[in-house]
Amino acid sequence: MAYTEESLKTELENQEYEYGFTIDIESDRAPNGLSEEIIRFISAKKDEPNWLLEYRLNAFNIWKKMEEPKWAHVKYKKPDFQDICYYAAPKPKKELASLDEVDPEILRTMERLGISVNEQKKLTGVAMDFVIDSVSVSNSFKEKLGELGIIFCSFGDAVKEHPELVKKYLGTVVPTADNFYATLNSAVFTDGSFCYIPKGVRCPMELSTYFRINEAGTGQFERTLLIADEGSYVSYLEGCTAPSRDENQLHAAVVELIALDDAEIKYSTVQNWYPGDKEGKGGVFNFVTKRGICEKNAKISWTQVETGSAVTWKYPSCILKGDNSIGEFYSVAVTNNNQQADTGTKMIHIGKNTKSTIISKGVSAGHSHNSYRGLVKIGKGASNARNFSQCDSLLMTDTSGAHTYPYIECENSTAQLEHEATTSKIGEDQLFYCKQRGISEEKAISLIVNGYAKEVLNKLPMEFAVEAQKLLEISLENSVG
Amino acid sequence: MSNTIIKIKNLSASIEGKEILKGVNLEVKAGEVHAIMGPNGSGKSTLSSVLAGRDEYEITGGSVEFLGKDLLEYDPEERAWLGLFLAFQYPVEIAGVSNMNFLKTALHEKSKYLNEDPISAKDFLKRVKEKAALVELDDKLKNRSVNEGFSGGEKKRNEIFQMAMLEPILAILDETDSGLDIDALKVVSNGVNTLKNKDNAIIVITHYQRLLDYITPDFVHVLADGKIVKTGDKNLALELEEKGYDWV
């Protein structure tokens, strides 16, 4: 490789940094704070190629000039970006080869949710990747998938083993300068998952990533890149948990989906980051950018069950670029106590005959606020585009709030748009009826809420649907007032 | 006698400060069918709501003994587990929750409370089939969401179907006949009669006599202005039909 003057300069800078830096490079944790040095540290730690370091530094320079957006219907104390640790590897230093070596507490958490990993592996053939704090610790079924040419690995491995794919697609759906938190992620992301499905391959199993923030005071900035080549199909699951901590933790992920011609991606999330305690202390700030692009006849379907986080701020979106492409968004967002959620989707119709469906179900309990915010945009060339949106809100208490902000921008007169919305309060009559039949209040609430969210829960793969139902039950304990 | 199922003594209850029940006395024994009749606003529905444990009502006096226990001390779901069932005048719709799931949950919660083994899936389905036939409940309705989009008659049939599934010791039918055409009335009554046995009891609350043509009561009570003012046998109902409530 020929050195350009630029890269040589960077390399020299790198070296200087390596020696000049006061902390032990072998350390598992970067010092708190964000600076060019920290970014170089992360990049060096991950043994990254120069182009990726450049990508990060460019993002960091853009980010420094950006301001945190304020339009969301959420209130929170702005994170101190100099008081966050941007890289933390899990405590066990050796690379984990199997799930047996994963922290038993993590396994217990997952078992509480009804997902025994081992069992799942055996019974359902879910290939799982774990990202704990910043590092991906295990990935099962890699070989089996490899036979089909499917790549499913940690982002870090992908950079090393498939740099051409990463380089080609990284930042193509969510550009570096996209928004404050996405740009921050582009500068400091530490790991995440990478997936590539070759032409015409139907992925035979659910691919799954489990994210967890473990270390105190760390942020999690994972990056997920999923490419479905022409005519392929994949169903991808993402689960998230974090232990209870008093301080707020920041989670700012970026997920990019690329569905090439005739491909289909089904992306399901069950998000259960720590929501903070009853008084609203602690909890994860979940500021995530998720977006997918559909080429001709492609389809992307987002399904999310959001029960965790102190503040959730995310809009999984679809850019329907190709003719006849389809975008779907199914969401259940539950907020309790002092949680706040501002979530929804954007459907950007560019191609002809593009179709999108939005089903959003909000449930607000305690003193929480739950907002749906969505944009349906029909471009000039999107002839015969169609959208159907349905936004329902269910209030559990008099002190909770539900808000809906549906935006529609239409530049093509042949488009058809439908929007339906309802707001209801959980009925005393319904609860009494259930109780009279011998169903306790908690079970009754869970039945009623699950019934209300059924349309969305039905879209989840079986093993996740069970987990999601339990989560709804747990997060709504003692919630009627 | 130990075969008393429920004993209501001097029960008074009010809602928002307004007294509705003003000292109700009633004793129901195993194997009996009691009818409570009365004009609108006499307190019939209040009585059933209070017995089932609706918390809008304040108990201002008296006591209710159910199978030797102080019923008023129990939560509504506990009362159900002990064997009390109320067929609602206006059954509630629960979107997205199938009838089957609803009943299975109810039965499981009950067996958990009673420390019994939960009913097996096979026995459950068998019971569903058997009991649905009893009230000629359409197969499709079993898997539909609870009461959602059911006609008035279908809702009432569903109430009796649930009663059959839950096998209560005391069933209170609150104006189950209202809104039923004559055919549905026959079907519902037939279901109730089949479920009646020497160990359980039924309280039928109704405004009109016609239901009592099909479900024959052992006792008929007239409730007026929050009190039982007259008690007799089935002939009392006929007399009431003829002379109207002003007569009592």
Side-chain angles (χ1 to χ4, degrees):
Chain A
M1 182 182 156
Y3 280 118
T4 62
E5 214 169 310
E6 251 334 270
S7 65
L8 197 63
K9 207 173 125 199
T10 319
E11 176 133 298
L12 283 171
E13 272 169 16
N14 254 332
Q15 280 179 347
E16 203 178 276
Y17 137 76
E18 272 184 25
Y19 293 108
F21 212 67
T22 52
I23 65 150
D24 180 7
I25 190 107
E26 296 305 319
S27 133
D28 280 342
R29 194 184 154 128
N32 287 5
L34 183 54
S35 62
E36 207 171 303
E37 282 69 39
I38 291 289
I39 291 165
R40 288 179 187 282
F41 171 84
I42 295 168
S43 192
K45 196 76 194 161
K46 301 192 74 65
D47 203 11
E48 284 176 354
N50 208 38
W51 64 265
L52 196 51
L53 175 64
E54 286 300 320
Y55 179 85
R56 288 173 181 280
L57 292 174
N58 175 41
F60 179 61
N61 285 326
I62 297 170
W63 181 77
K64 281 193 289 191
K65 292 179 208 114
M66 291 173 105
E67 264 188 53
E68 212 178 342
K70 294 189 181 71
W71 44 261
H73 186 84
V74 291
K75 282 191 196 115
Y76 60 95
K77 192 172 161 278
K78 193 181 157 186
D80 179 353
F81 295 103
Q82 295 307 334
D83 198 30
I84 290 173
C85 165
Y86 290 88
Y87 180 87
K91 286 218 172 77
K93 281 184 185 127
K94 59 176 178 166
E95 195 162 303
L96 300 182
S98 80
L99 288 176
D100 301 339
E101 294 170 47
V102 173
D103 182 354
E105 198 212 327
I106 296 167
L107 292 178
R108 263 200 302 277
T109 310
M110 288 193 288
E111 264 163 23
R112 191 170 151 243
L113 296 170
I115 42 162
S116 149
V117 183
N118 291 316
E119 214 170 274
Q120 262 206 347
K121 267 169 69 180
K122 275 187 223 131
L123 296 177
T124 61
V126 174
M128 270 204 153
D129 186 24
F130 279 80
V131 178
I132 292 174
D133 290 336
S134 309
V135 173
S136 175
V137 289
S138 82
N139 185 335
S140 43
F141 283 97
K142 205 167 174 173
E143 272 172 43
K144 199 171 166 189
L145 294 170
E147 286 166 20
L148 292 165
I150 294 171
I151 304 165
F152 177 43
C153 62
S154 72
F155 197 89
D157 287 350
V159 169
K160 291 194 188 85
E161 289 160 29
H162 310 282
E164 70 298 339
L165 283 172
V166 178
K167 207 171 168 178
K168 184 171 174 192
Y169 291 106
L170 180 69
T172 55
V173 191
V174 180
T176 306
D178 192 76
N179 71 73
F180 187 82
Y181 282 102
T183 306
L184 176 64
N185 174 288
S186 297
V188 302
F189 69 86
T190 33
D191 215 327
S193 287
F194 176 86
C195 177
Y196 171 80
I197 314 290
K199 268 184 201 171
V201 170
R202 200 180 160 86
C203 185
M205 60 182 79
E206 312 277 352
L207 300 183
S208 170
T209 301
Y210 218 89
F211 292 109
R212 179 173 171 94
I213 304 178
N214 221 25
E215 283 264 305
T218 54
Q220 179 144 326
F221 303 93
E222 80 268 4
R223 187 94 193 185
T224 300
L225 183 55
L226 202 165
I227 303 138
D229 212 329
E230 290 171 20
S232 68
Y233 167 85
V234 64
S235 168
Y236 191 91
L237 318 174
E238 175 196 76
C240 321
T241 59
S244 320
R245 299 213 183 275
D246 283 347
E247 77 268 36
N248 293 113
Q249 287 172 294
L250 178 62
H251 174 244
V254 172
V255 176
E256 294 181 278
L257 309 186
I258 293 126
L260 297 177
D261 291 359
D262 305 299
E264 181 177 346
I265 300 174
K266 194 172 150 60
Y267 195 102
S268 314
T269 304
V270 173
Q271 186 265 108
N272 184 33
W273 296 118
Y274 178 58
D277 66 10
K278 279 212 164 99
E279 279 71 49
K281 198 173 177 200
V284 172
F285 291 159
N286 190 35
F287 302 155
V288 171
T289 306
K290 290 182 165 176
R291 198 175 300 152
I293 189 161
C294 287
E295 299 290 344
K296 247 181 233 158
N297 308 317
K299 178 176 171 184
I300 288 178
S301 181
W302 298 99
T303 305
Q304 59 172 20
V305 175
E306 301 279 317
T307 62
S309 298
V311 182
T312 293
W313 186 1
K314 76 169 200 189
Y315 314 91
S317 304
C318 298
I319 302 169
L320 303 173
K321 183 180 159 214
D323 292 349
N324 313 312
S325 60
I326 298 171
E328 292 175 339
F329 174 75
Y330 302 100
S331 168
V332 181
V334 178
T335 51
N336 199 353
N337 298 321
N338 291 292
Q339 278 178 277
Q340 306 173 69
D342 193 306
T343 182
T345 185
K346 282 192 244 177
M347 293 291 175
I348 315 290
H349 291 253
I350 298 170
K352 291 186 187 71
N353 307 314
T354 46
K355 272 205 310 205
S356 63
T357 305
I358 299 170
I359 311 278
S360 164
K361 303 265 181 181
V363 181
S364 333
H367 295 272
S368 68
H369 282 272
N370 202 325
S371 307
Y372 167 80
R373 186 184 302 276
L375 169 67
V376 177
K377 186 172 177 158
I378 312 282
K380 280 201 184 80
S383 311
N384 302 313
R386 294 193 61 170
N387 164 265
F388 173 77
S389 300
Q390 186 187 329
C391 309
D392 296 331
S393 308
L394 183 66
L395 294 169
M396 309 293 282
T397 57
D398 296 333
T399 49
S400 57
H403 315 267
T404 311
Y405 306 95
Y407 299 92
I408 293 172
E409 290 171 21
C410 185
E411 295 174 359
N412 187 305
S413 59
T414 61
Q416 281 184 50
L417 296 122
E418 287 173 74
H419 184 91
E420 287 177 12
T422 65
T423 303
S424 52
K425 182 160 190 295
I426 192 159
E428 283 299 323
D429 286 346
Q430 282 181 329
L431 283 177
F432 182 71
Y433 188 74
C434 292
K435 287 192 222 173
Q436 207 300 308
R437 295 298 181 255
I439 299 171
S440 60
E441 178 155 306
E442 258 165 41
K443 261 273 165 1
I445 290 169
S446 149
L447 265 186
I448 293 167
V449 171
N450 272 304
Y452 162 79
K454 201 175 188 177
E455 255 179 296
V456 175
L457 296 176
N458 281 348
K459 299 287 174 187
L460 287 173
M462 196 55 155
E463 57 273 58
F464 250 36
V466 175
E467 181 188 351
Q469 285 192 11
K470 284 191 184 167
L471 260 182
L472 291 183
E473 203 169 310
I474 294 168
S475 43
L476 287 171
E477 272 170 12
N478 305 317
S479 61
V480 169
Chain B
M1 279 293 282
S2 62
N3 65 348
T4 295
I5 286 183
I6 195 165
K7 196 172 190 174
I8 303 170
K9 268 199 241 165
N10 210 17
L11 183 68
S12 304
S14 62
I15 185 164
E16 290 164 359
K18 192 177 176 240
E19 193 162 52
I20 311 281
L21 299 182
K22 302 171 179 171
V24 174
N25 288 291
L26 179 68
E27 182 172 356
V28 177
K29 293 190 166 126
E32 294 177 349
V33 175
H34 289 240
I36 297 177
M37 300 182 70
N40 289 330
S42 59
K44 299 189 304 282
S45 286
T46 300
L47 180 62
S48 62
S49 294
V50 166
L51 293 179
R54 257 204 120 108
D55 59 8
E56 297 96 295
Y57 295 93
E58 194 195 339
I59 312 293
T60 49
S63 65
V64 181
E65 215 173 83
F66 180 62
L67 303 169
K69 295 182 171 77
D70 181 357
L71 184 74
L72 303 177
E73 287 296 305
Y74 290 87
D75 288 336
E77 59 270 34
E78 292 172 317
R79 298 180 193 198
W81 297 328
L82 293 173
L84 184 104
F85 179 90
L86 171 64
F88 285 66
Q89 184 177 2
Y90 303 107
V92 176
E93 301 186 2
I94 307 174
V97 179
S98 77
N99 247 338
M100 293 299 91
N101 187 13
F102 183 73
L103 281 168
K104 205 159 64 191
T105 308
L107 284 169
H108 281 185
E109 293 258 294
K110 183 178 178 179
S111 39
K112 207 164 73 187
Y113 179 76
L114 299 175
N115 267 324
E116 288 169 354
D117 287 336
I119 186 168
S120 72
K122 193 177 146 221
D123 289 347
F124 177 76
L125 288 175
K126 208 175 121 195
R127 200 194 289 190
V128 165
K129 207 172 163 189
E130 186 187 312
K131 307 296 185 186
L134 209 62
V135 286
E136 298 172 25
L137 190 74
D138 199 306
D139 243 17
K140 280 176 295 195
L141 298 183
K142 290 187 293 189
N143 290 311
R144 283 243 300 269
S145 297
V146 178
N147 293 324
E148 199 186 32
F150 285 29
S151 71
E154 285 167 344
K155 283 183 184 172
K156 295 299 173 79
R157 278 184 208 209
N158 198 25
E159 291 294 286
I160 305 305
F161 167 61
Q162 291 184 18
M163 170 183 160
M165 288 296 292
L166 297 169
E167 299 177 332
I169 295 165
L170 175 66
I172 303 166
L173 312 184
D174 189 3
E175 311 237 4
T176 297
D177 52 334
S178 68
L180 287 188
D181 61 30
I182 198 75
D183 293 331
L185 190 67
K186 278 183 192 164
V187 171
V188 165
S189 310
N190 184 36
V192 172
N193 288 330
T194 317
L195 295 171
K196 195 185 113 182
N197 62 42
K198 64 175 175 37
D199 298 316
N200 62 20
I202 294 163
I203 297 176
V204 181
I205 293 175
T206 181
H207 190 82
Y208 301 105
Q209 189 273 336
R210 63 170 195 161
L211 177 63
L212 305 180
D213 287 342
Y214 303 98
I215 303 174
T216 313
D218 300 299
F219 298 95
V220 174
H221 310 276
V222 180
L223 188 70
D225 193 27
K227 271 184 188 163
I228 288 179
V229 292
K230 207 170 178 59
T231 294
D233 62 8
K234 62 178 180 190
N235 293 318
L236 178 60
L238 293 169
E239 215 169 328
L240 275 173
E241 183 83 351
E242 201 179 301
K243 298 181 180 168
Y245 285 112
D246 290 339
W247 163 72
V248 286

